[in-house]
Amino acid sequence: MPADSALRHEETEMGRERAGPDDARRETAAETRRADRDTSRIRWLRDQVTRLHKRLPLRRRLAGGLAHGIMSSVAAVAAYLPTQMLGLQEGFWAAITAVAVAQTEFGATRSTARDQFTGAAIGGLIGLAAYLALGPSVPTYAAGVVLAILACWLVNVASACRLAGITATIILLVPHLGPVERMAGSRVVEVGWGVCVAIATVWIVTRVNRWLGVKL
């Protein structure tokens, strides 16, 4: 009897050991299916929002487009003027960022701002590291873009990958005067400044519209 009990115990332990990897594989497969379903739902929702925007009446589209244009223009000018007064040669990047970030909704603006700054930071760091480690070349540039986009996916900000690739492109391909470290730092600072100005502009406009009872 003790021998039978020991045998059953050993068989149970072996069954558990075999079940462990199987359970892990099943859990991984279930997570993959959930991720695929979530991705499909996000795409479907994005398509639905696009269709709804296209169905808006002309008057609503005119009001929304005009408000968006004015906010973007104000944010871009406010971001650009200080860099011009300081004599920065490429302050236009702050203006470009402000235009890219400014949205008619404050929540969308914050989300876009996060992507812009994260992409610039990741692309700047990886582009600089690739330049210093491998030197300027086409293979270095190709590797820098791949690594910048991969890094965005790994830190779960895939929506920032395009700007990360663009920032790496600027650092590795655009001719520049002075140390490359200064160029990378300037890009991140200019993008950060443009992000801050766009957020502040949209926040002020949102509060004023709420106070006046204006809906876009």
Side-chain angles (χ1 to χ4, degrees), residues 71 103-109 198-216:
M71 280 195 298
Q103 307 287 328
T104 54
E105 296 179 358
F106 186 65
T109 299
I199 289 177
T201 301
V202 176
W203 184 86
I204 292 171
V205 171
T206 301
R207 292 302 181 277
V208 171
N209 285 343
R210 186 177 298 173
W211 181 66
L212 296 175
V214 177
K215 293 183 179 180
L216 297 178

Side-chain angles (χ1 to χ4, degrees), residues 123 126-149 162-174:
I126 291 181
L128 175 61
Y131 186 97
L132 295 176
L134 303 174
S137 67
V138 173
T140 299
Y141 163 62
V145 172
V146 171
L147 291 175
I149 293 176
R162 284 176 292 186
L163 187 62
I166 291 172
T167 305
T169 298
I170 293 170
I171 293 173
L172 293 168
L173 291 187
V174 176

Side-chain angles (χ1 to χ4, degrees), residues 7-82:
L7 181 60
R8 284 195 299 271
H9 178 72
E10 183 177 354
E11 290 176 349
T12 301
E13 291 297 325
M14 292 178 63
R16 289 176 179 175
E17 291 177 359
R18 287 194 298 268
D22 293 338
D23 291 341
R25 284 193 292 269
R26 284 195 293 268
E27 182 64 24
T28 301
E31 290 179 357
T32 301
R33 288 193 296 271
R34 285 195 295 268
D36 291 340
R37 286 196 299 268
D38 291 341
T39 301
S40 299
R41 289 169 182 169
I42 291 171
R43 290 173 179 170
W44 182 82
L45 289 172
R46 188 184 299 123
D47 292 341
Q48 293 302 311
V49 170
T50 301
R51 292 192 184 97
L52 289 174
H53 275 294
K54 291 181 178 180
R55 293 177 182 175
L56 289 174
L58 178 60
R59 182 179 178 181
R60 190 70 179 271
R61 281 181 281 149
L62 177 63
L66 184 59
H68 192 178
I70 292 174
M71 280 195 298
S72 298
S73 178
V74 170
V77 171
Y80 177 69
L81 285 180

